[in-house]
PDB file of all heavy atoms in Angstrom:
ATOM      1  N   THR U 170      -0.902 -39.232  10.388  1.00  0.00           N
ATOM      2  CA  THR U 170       0.293 -38.833  11.146  1.00  0.00           C
ATOM      3  C   THR U 170       1.127 -37.754  10.457  1.00  0.00           C
ATOM      4  O   THR U 170       2.027 -37.175  11.052  1.00  0.00           O
ATOM      5  CB  THR U 170       1.202 -40.055  11.377  1.00  0.00           C
ATOM      6  OG1 THR U 170       1.571 -40.611  10.099  1.00  0.00           O
ATOM      7  CG2 THR U 170       0.491 -41.118  12.201  1.00  0.00           C
ATOM      8  N   VAL U 173       1.327 -34.672   3.285  1.00  0.00           N
ATOM      9  CA  VAL U 173       2.398 -34.655   2.287  1.00  0.00           C
ATOM     10  C   VAL U 173       1.822 -34.440   0.885  1.00  0.00           C
ATOM     11  O   VAL U 173       0.770 -34.990   0.560  1.00  0.00           O
ATOM     12  CB  VAL U 173       3.179 -35.995   2.307  1.00  0.00           C
ATOM     13  CG1 VAL U 173       4.336 -35.967   1.331  1.00  0.00           C
ATOM     14  CG2 VAL U 173       3.688 -36.307   3.707  1.00  0.00           C
ATOM     15  N   MET U 224      -6.801 -51.003  -1.571  1.00  0.00           N
ATOM     16  CA  MET U 224      -7.976 -51.163  -0.702  1.00  0.00           C
ATOM     17  C   MET U 224      -7.720 -50.843   0.762  1.00  0.00           C
ATOM     18  O   MET U 224      -8.652 -50.579   1.523  1.00  0.00           O
ATOM     19  CB  MET U 224      -8.521 -52.601  -0.819  1.00  0.00           C
ATOM     20  CG  MET U 224      -9.131 -52.906  -2.178  1.00  0.00           C
ATOM     21  SD  MET U 224     -10.348 -51.660  -2.733  1.00  0.00           S
ATOM     22  CE  MET U 224     -11.596 -51.833  -1.460  1.00  0.00           C
ATOM     23  N   ASN U 225      -6.481 -50.851   1.185  1.00  0.00           N
ATOM     24  CA  ASN U 225      -6.182 -50.601   2.601  1.00  0.00           C
ATOM     25  C   ASN U 225      -6.014 -49.113   2.917  1.00  0.00           C
ATOM     26  O   ASN U 225      -5.656 -48.745   4.037  1.00  0.00           O
ATOM     27  CB  ASN U 225      -4.909 -51.359   3.013  1.00  0.00           C
ATOM     28  CG  ASN U 225      -3.697 -50.888   2.208  1.00  0.00           C
ATOM     29  OD1 ASN U 225      -3.824 -50.529   1.046  1.00  0.00           O
ATOM     30  ND2 ASN U 225      -2.537 -50.893   2.848  1.00  0.00           N
ATOM     31  N   TRP U 245      -4.248 -28.801   9.513  1.00  0.00           N
ATOM     32  CA  TRP U 245      -3.102 -29.507  10.097  1.00  0.00           C
ATOM     33  C   TRP U 245      -2.325 -28.614  11.066  1.00  0.00           C
ATOM     34  O   TRP U 245      -1.874 -29.058  12.117  1.00  0.00           O
ATOM     35  CB  TRP U 245      -2.192 -30.006   8.980  1.00  0.00           C
ATOM     36  CG  TRP U 245      -1.003 -30.805   9.412  1.00  0.00           C
ATOM     37  CD1 TRP U 245       0.295 -30.421   9.401  1.00  0.00           C
ATOM     38  CD2 TRP U 245      -1.008 -32.148   9.937  1.00  0.00           C
ATOM     39  NE1 TRP U 245       1.109 -31.416   9.863  1.00  0.00           N
ATOM     40  CE2 TRP U 245       0.338 -32.500  10.205  1.00  0.00           C
ATOM     41  CE3 TRP U 245      -2.010 -33.080  10.190  1.00  0.00           C
ATOM     42  CZ2 TRP U 245       0.695 -33.731  10.721  1.00  0.00           C
ATOM     43  CZ3 TRP U 245      -1.649 -34.323  10.702  1.00  0.00           C
ATOM     44  CH2 TRP U 245      -0.307 -34.638  10.971  1.00  0.00           C
ATOM     45  N   THR U 302       7.536 -16.092  -4.826  1.00  0.00           N
ATOM     46  CA  THR U 302       6.969 -14.915  -4.163  1.00  0.00           C
ATOM     47  C   THR U 302       6.041 -15.356  -3.037  1.00  0.00           C
ATOM     48  O   THR U 302       6.136 -14.887  -1.907  1.00  0.00           O
ATOM     49  CB  THR U 302       6.195 -14.054  -5.177  1.00  0.00           C
ATOM     50  OG1 THR U 302       7.124 -13.570  -6.150  1.00  0.00           O
ATOM     51  CG2 THR U 302       5.523 -12.871  -4.497  1.00  0.00           C
ATOM     52  N   ALA U 362      -3.327 -16.644 -19.165  1.00  0.00           N
ATOM     53  CA  ALA U 362      -3.704 -16.698 -20.575  1.00  0.00           C
ATOM     54  C   ALA U 362      -3.891 -15.307 -21.167  1.00  0.00           C
ATOM     55  O   ALA U 362      -3.679 -15.107 -22.369  1.00  0.00           O
ATOM     56  CB  ALA U 362      -4.991 -17.508 -20.732  1.00  0.00           C
ATOM     57  N   SER U 363      -4.277 -14.339 -20.335  1.00  0.00           N
ATOM     58  CA  SER U 363      -4.550 -12.995 -20.835  1.00  0.00           C
ATOM     59  C   SER U 363      -4.423 -11.993 -19.696  1.00  0.00           C
ATOM     60  O   SER U 363      -4.385 -12.367 -18.516  1.00  0.00           O
ATOM     61  CB  SER U 363      -5.969 -12.921 -21.399  1.00  0.00           C
ATOM     62  OG  SER U 363      -6.915 -13.145 -20.357  1.00  0.00           O
ATOM     63  N   PHE U 375      -9.672  -9.805  -2.922  1.00  0.00           N
ATOM     64  CA  PHE U 375     -10.696  -8.929  -2.325  1.00  0.00           C
ATOM     65  C   PHE U 375     -12.032  -9.648  -2.124  1.00  0.00           C
ATOM     66  O   PHE U 375     -13.031  -9.028  -1.794  1.00  0.00           O
ATOM     67  CB  PHE U 375     -10.811  -7.652  -3.162  1.00  0.00           C
ATOM     68  CG  PHE U 375      -9.479  -6.971  -3.249  1.00  0.00           C
ATOM     69  CD1 PHE U 375      -8.668  -7.141  -4.358  1.00  0.00           C
ATOM     70  CD2 PHE U 375      -8.984  -6.252  -2.167  1.00  0.00           C
ATOM     71  CE1 PHE U 375      -7.400  -6.587  -4.406  1.00  0.00           C
ATOM     72  CE2 PHE U 375      -7.733  -5.685  -2.206  1.00  0.00           C
ATOM     73  CZ  PHE U 375      -6.929  -5.849  -3.318  1.00  0.00           C
ATOM     74  N   PRO U 388      -5.647   2.855 -13.328  1.00  0.00           N
ATOM     75  CA  PRO U 388      -6.866   2.819 -14.151  1.00  0.00           C
ATOM     76  C   PRO U 388      -7.592   1.476 -14.128  1.00  0.00           C
ATOM     77  O   PRO U 388      -8.770   1.408 -14.504  1.00  0.00           O
ATOM     78  CB  PRO U 388      -6.346   3.138 -15.564  1.00  0.00           C
ATOM     79  CG  PRO U 388      -4.882   2.816 -15.529  1.00  0.00           C
ATOM     80  CD  PRO U 388      -4.429   3.098 -14.132  1.00  0.00           C
ATOM     81  N   HIS U 389      -6.917   0.422 -13.686  1.00  0.00           N
ATOM     82  CA  HIS U 389      -7.529  -0.907 -13.690  1.00  0.00           C
ATOM     83  C   HIS U 389      -8.113  -1.311 -12.331  1.00  0.00           C
ATOM     84  O   HIS U 389      -8.638  -2.412 -12.184  1.00  0.00           O
ATOM     85  CB  HIS U 389      -6.500  -1.954 -14.126  1.00  0.00           C
ATOM     86  CG  HIS U 389      -5.944  -1.720 -15.496  1.00  0.00           C
ATOM     87  ND1 HIS U 389      -6.704  -1.847 -16.633  1.00  0.00           N
ATOM     88  CD2 HIS U 389      -4.706  -1.337 -15.899  1.00  0.00           C
ATOM     89  CE1 HIS U 389      -5.952  -1.567 -17.695  1.00  0.00           C
ATOM     90  NE2 HIS U 389      -4.749  -1.257 -17.272  1.00  0.00           N
ATOM     91  N   ASP U 407      -2.767  11.357  -7.499  1.00  0.00           N
ATOM     92  CA  ASP U 407      -3.507  12.193  -8.444  1.00  0.00           C
ATOM     93  C   ASP U 407      -5.001  12.284  -8.127  1.00  0.00           C
ATOM     94  O   ASP U 407      -5.627  13.311  -8.388  1.00  0.00           O
ATOM     95  CB  ASP U 407      -3.334  11.655  -9.870  1.00  0.00           C
ATOM     96  CG  ASP U 407      -1.871  11.619 -10.299  1.00  0.00           C
ATOM     97  OD1 ASP U 407      -1.141  12.547  -9.901  1.00  0.00           O
ATOM     98  OD2 ASP U 407      -1.472  10.674 -10.996  1.00  0.00           O
ATOM     99  N   VAL U 487      23.880   2.384  -2.338  1.00  0.00           N
ATOM    100  CA  VAL U 487      25.177   1.910  -1.837  1.00  0.00           C
ATOM    101  C   VAL U 487      26.170   3.061  -1.958  1.00  0.00           C
ATOM    102  O   VAL U 487      26.422   3.563  -3.056  1.00  0.00           O
ATOM    103  CB  VAL U 487      25.679   0.686  -2.628  1.00  0.00           C
ATOM    104  CG1 VAL U 487      27.014   0.203  -2.060  1.00  0.00           C
ATOM    105  CG2 VAL U 487      24.652  -0.442  -2.612  1.00  0.00           C
ATOM    106  N   THR U 511      12.797   6.192 -15.629  1.00  0.00           N
ATOM    107  CA  THR U 511      11.957   7.386 -15.736  1.00  0.00           C
ATOM    108  C   THR U 511      11.899   8.117 -14.398  1.00  0.00           C
ATOM    109  O   THR U 511      11.991   9.350 -14.330  1.00  0.00           O
ATOM    110  CB  THR U 511      10.532   7.001 -16.192  1.00  0.00           C
ATOM    111  OG1 THR U 511      10.607   6.327 -17.440  1.00  0.00           O
ATOM    112  CG2 THR U 511       9.653   8.234 -16.345  1.00  0.00           C
ATOM    113  N   HIS U 517      17.122  14.767 -12.203  1.00  0.00           N
ATOM    114  CA  HIS U 517      17.988  15.551 -13.095  1.00  0.00           C
ATOM    115  C   HIS U 517      19.474  15.257 -12.866  1.00  0.00           C
ATOM    116  O   HIS U 517      20.277  16.157 -12.566  1.00  0.00           O
ATOM    117  CB  HIS U 517      17.724  17.058 -12.901  1.00  0.00           C
ATOM    118  CG  HIS U 517      16.275  17.414 -13.060  1.00  0.00           C
ATOM    119  ND1 HIS U 517      15.601  17.314 -14.259  1.00  0.00           N
ATOM    120  CD2 HIS U 517      15.361  17.832 -12.146  1.00  0.00           C
ATOM    121  CE1 HIS U 517      14.341  17.675 -14.093  1.00  0.00           C
ATOM    122  NE2 HIS U 517      14.165  18.000 -12.823  1.00  0.00           N
ATOM    123  N   LEU U 521      22.653   9.595 -16.385  1.00  0.00           N
ATOM    124  CA  LEU U 521      22.010   8.392 -15.858  1.00  0.00           C
ATOM    125  C   LEU U 521      22.722   7.208 -16.497  1.00  0.00           C
ATOM    126  O   LEU U 521      22.706   7.043 -17.730  1.00  0.00           O
ATOM    127  CB  LEU U 521      20.522   8.392 -16.214  1.00  0.00           C
ATOM    128  CG  LEU U 521      19.633   7.324 -15.577  1.00  0.00           C
ATOM    129  CD1 LEU U 521      19.770   7.332 -14.055  1.00  0.00           C
ATOM    130  CD2 LEU U 521      18.173   7.544 -15.963  1.00  0.00           C
ATOM    131  N   THR U 576      18.185   2.799 -30.887  1.00  0.00           N
ATOM    132  CA  THR U 576      18.213   4.135 -30.279  1.00  0.00           C
ATOM    133  C   THR U 576      19.551   4.799 -30.577  1.00  0.00           C
ATOM    134  O   THR U 576      20.435   4.190 -31.184  1.00  0.00           O
ATOM    135  CB  THR U 576      18.042   4.037 -28.749  1.00  0.00           C
ATOM    136  OG1 THR U 576      19.266   3.536 -28.167  1.00  0.00           O
ATOM    137  CG2 THR U 576      16.894   3.106 -28.367  1.00  0.00           C
ATOM    138  N   ILE U 590      31.034  -3.373 -13.180  1.00  0.00           N
ATOM    139  CA  ILE U 590      30.737  -2.502 -12.030  1.00  0.00           C
ATOM    140  C   ILE U 590      31.936  -1.601 -11.736  1.00  0.00           C
ATOM    141  O   ILE U 590      31.775  -0.409 -11.445  1.00  0.00           O
ATOM    142  CB  ILE U 590      30.349  -3.354 -10.802  1.00  0.00           C
ATOM    143  CG1 ILE U 590      29.029  -4.081 -11.063  1.00  0.00           C
ATOM    144  CG2 ILE U 590      30.235  -2.481  -9.545  1.00  0.00           C
ATOM    145  CD1 ILE U 590      28.674  -5.135 -10.016  1.00  0.00           C
ATOM    146  N   ILE U 629      31.185  -4.702  -5.020  1.00  0.00           N
ATOM    147  CA  ILE U 629      31.485  -3.274  -4.831  1.00  0.00           C
ATOM    148  C   ILE U 629      32.537  -3.094  -3.743  1.00  0.00           C
ATOM    149  O   ILE U 629      33.502  -2.319  -3.905  1.00  0.00           O
ATOM    150  CB  ILE U 629      30.193  -2.502  -4.474  1.00  0.00           C
ATOM    151  CG1 ILE U 629      29.260  -2.445  -5.683  1.00  0.00           C
ATOM    152  CG2 ILE U 629      30.523  -1.089  -3.990  1.00  0.00           C
ATOM    153  CD1 ILE U 629      27.846  -2.001  -5.355  1.00  0.00           C
ATOM    154  N   ARG U 639      45.795   0.254  -4.288  1.00  0.00           N
ATOM    155  CA  ARG U 639      46.591   0.774  -5.409  1.00  0.00           C
ATOM    156  C   ARG U 639      47.308   2.076  -5.072  1.00  0.00           C
ATOM    157  O   ARG U 639      46.815   2.890  -4.345  1.00  0.00           O
ATOM    158  CB  ARG U 639      45.680   1.017  -6.623  1.00  0.00           C
ATOM    159  CG  ARG U 639      45.221  -0.300  -7.271  1.00  0.00           C
ATOM    160  CD  ARG U 639      44.614  -0.020  -8.638  1.00  0.00           C
ATOM    161  NE  ARG U 639      44.107  -1.271  -9.194  1.00  0.00           N
ATOM    162  CZ  ARG U 639      42.824  -1.531  -9.389  1.00  0.00           C
ATOM    163  NH1 ARG U 639      41.935  -0.621  -9.095  1.00  0.00           N
ATOM    164  NH2 ARG U 639      42.447  -2.676  -9.903  1.00  0.00           N
TER     165      ARG U 639
END
Side-chain angles (χ1 to χ4, degrees):
T170 58
V173 183
M224 292 310 297
N225 61 327
W245 183 252
T302 296
S363 64
F375 303 98
H389 300 292
D407 301 324
V487 181
T511 302
H517 306 293
L521 189 54
T576 74
I590 294 170
I629 291 166
R639 288 194 184 113

